[in-house]
Amino acid sequence: MIHLVPFAAEHFDLVCSWFTNEVEAVQWGGPSVSYPLAAQMLQAMLDEGKTNPPNRLCWMAQEDGESVGHIQLALDWRSGNATLSRVVIAPQMRGQGKGSQMLRLVTEHAFGFEAIERVELNVYAWNSVAIRTYEKLGLKLEGTRRSSASVNGERWDTCIMSVLREEWHQPLTVRRVETPEDVALCFPLMRQLRPHLENEGDFIARWQRQKATGYSLIALWKDEQPVALAGYRIQENLIYGPHLYVDDLVTDADVRGSGAGHRLLDRLKAECGERDLSLLVLDTALSNSLGHKFYYREGLLPRALRFSYDINSDHAPLPA
Ligand SMILES: CC(C)(COP(=O)(O)OP(=O)(O)OC[C@H]1O[C@@H](n2cnc3c(N)ncnc32)[C@H](O)[C@@H]1OP(=O)(O)O)[C@@H](O)C(=O)NCCC(=O)NCCS
């Protein structure tokens, strides 16, 4: 798990080593940053934190004792605005969810200050990885300052994104899906996992049939919209005894990596406890490597291979 430690002079060399040219430096720090990064400039950023209250807070993100990222939060106490800035993950560590975790921690920290009502940031319009990361976190694109930066003879557009306190704290609640109306709301999300579902009517009919044989559906709801779903049943067989079997588990592609799947799995583990079941079991495709990573993280272990035979296939058995 990522945690934050205060940024200090001992981290300067490492952060400087993450940038190899001026474009990367400006992408990170805006037009006021020059390449190569200088200790003096980083010290000036740190010094902004010496006011009372601080105008800027700077952290390193660490995992297992290793520094994996850097982030800053500029604070405008008078207007109640906090600006996420100078966000970077070590180049070899990108694309592993570390940036999302680091940003979540800092945004949570910002809204921990009573005076802060809005968290915002600027990002260059071509930086689609960063924009996607911020959208997943819940920041909304407000607009674009066209041709607002000059870098190496090119002009770049700058996007402005923000999240407000009430949006950040909009509660996520786990609730059972019990009516055909709620099942219909869940259809687009379930279809992300089960693309063969034809339409809402098909899904509702299957839900009704499966429900009659013990299937339940729960969802994580945000603003009356489902953002993650789990379909499951309590069953018993000679292999596992009574256990909870998870048929379906899916998080909306837009909020993956934000802990929604973890919340639902936690709810299912709690249900095992309430019903005195000692095992939660699920199947996942061998090709679903991201899913495997998630399940390992959640403490689930692979214990079997599932074989199946398609009665209608003319597939000849492989030679021994
Ligand atoms: C922007 C940055 C901080 C994101 O951190 P990260 O750890 O790489 O991001 P995450 O692994 O949390 O990924 C978040 C999302 O970004 C997208 N993403 C990440 N790496 C990607 C890649 N190489 N290609 C396409 N999309 C990618 C994915 O959509 C991912 O969401 P997913 O979980 O649904 O797949 C990091 O890439 C970085 O340091 N970039 C260089 C500096 C920079 O641009 N800073 C921002 C200045 S405003």
Side-chain angles (χ1 to χ4, degrees):
M1 283 300 268
I2 297 279
H3 68 279
L4 301 172
V5 298
F7 184 47
E10 72 201 61
H11 304 120
F12 287 1
D13 286 349
L14 180 65
V15 171
C16 291
S17 75
W18 291 342
F19 302 92
T20 59
N21 57 51
E22 189 190 344
V23 167
E24 286 177 9
V26 175
Q27 170 185 350
W28 166 72
S32 64
V33 163
S34 53
Y35 178 81
L37 302 190
Q40 205 184 0
M41 184 189 71
L42 295 174
Q43 186 59 50
M45 294 171 183
L46 263 180
D47 289 344
E48 286 184 55
K50 290 184 178 158
T51 54
N52 188 12
N55 290 332
R56 181 177 293 276
L57 295 170
C58 307
W59 293 275
M60 293 299 284
Q62 296 194 332
E63 190 174 47
D64 301 329
E66 193 184 352
S67 292
V68 299
H70 172 83
I71 187 164
Q72 303 185 8
L73 190 67
L75 293 150
D76 170 358
W77 297 104
R78 198 169 182 167
S79 309
N81 295 335
T83 308
L84 291 165
S85 52
R86 318 252 161 82
V87 178
V88 64
I89 291 294
Q92 70 281 12
M93 307 267 183
R94 290 177 194 162
Q96 301 170 26
K98 299 187 196 309
S100 303
Q101 280 185 56
M102 176 176 80
L103 283 154
R104 182 163 297 281
L105 285 175
V106 174
T107 309
E108 196 61 49
H109 191 92
F111 284 124
F113 295 115
E114 256 178 48
I116 298 302
E117 286 298 324
R118 163 186 165 97
V119 170
E120 62 186 10
L121 58 81
N122 295 325
V123 53
Y124 293 117
W126 55 263
N127 194 350
S128 53
V129 169
I131 291 174
R132 170 88 186 119
T133 307
Y134 301 141
E135 278 173 349
K136 270 184 59 181
L137 189 70
L139 278 91
K140 294 194 172 91
L141 178 64
E142 287 185 333
T144 303
R145 293 175 61 227
R146 293 170 302 151
S147 189
S148 47
S150 164
V151 186
N152 267 355
E154 278 182 33
R155 297 206 59 89
W156 292 353
D157 293 350
T158 311
C159 296
I160 301 166
M161 301 182 75
S162 74
V163 58
L164 304 183
R165 172 179 287 278
E166 69 264 22
E167 293 162 351
W168 184 253
H169 287 141
Q170 210 170 54
L172 287 172
T173 47
V174 178
R175 172 163 67 73
R176 216 164 263 284
V177 178
E178 286 185 306
T179 63
E181 292 73 27
D182 275 355
V183 177
L185 283 177
C186 294
F187 170 67
L189 180 48
M190 187 59 97
R191 203 173 194 187
Q192 291 181 25
L193 179 69
R194 310 284 179 224
H196 53 269
L197 290 173
E198 280 168 22
N199 49 43
E200 273 178 25
D202 176 33
F203 181 36
I204 293 170
R206 285 169 184 251
W207 167 74
Q208 273 162 339
R209 280 201 306 275
Q210 294 189 181
K211 191 164 169 274
T213 59
Y215 177 79
S216 301
L217 194 56
I218 54 170
L220 188 64
W221 300 84
K222 182 173 189 178
D223 202 15
E224 289 309 303
Q225 286 300 318
V227 296
L229 292 176
Y232 67 99
R233 57 188 79 232
I234 311 297
Q235 57 186 30
E236 179 169 358
N237 60 25
L238 293 177
I239 315 168
Y240 305 122
H243 63 279
L244 188 151
Y245 181 80
V246 184
D247 292 46
D248 321 289
L249 185 63
V250 59
T251 297
D252 190 341
D254 286 343
V255 300
R256 275 179 207 159
S258 67
H262 168 79
R263 289 263 315 257
L264 277 190
L265 212 47
D266 254 11
R267 182 68 202 86
L268 296 181
K269 287 177 186 168
E271 183 149 347
C272 285
E274 287 154 18
R275 293 172 176 255
D276 210 17
L277 306 170
S278 52
L279 213 53
L280 179 148
V281 180
L282 57 79
D283 288 337
T284 187
L286 288 172
S287 56
N288 180 14
S289 47
L290 278 181
H292 301 171
K293 212 167 134 195
F294 168 70
Y295 294 131
Y296 276 114
R297 253 198 348 253
E298 296 294 321
L300 279 75
L301 294 174
R303 295 176 206 262
L305 273 181
R306 157 125 344 152
F307 287 86
S308 58
Y309 181 78
D310 183 351
I311 298 295
N312 298 316
S313 85
D314 51 4
H315 183 73
L318 292 171

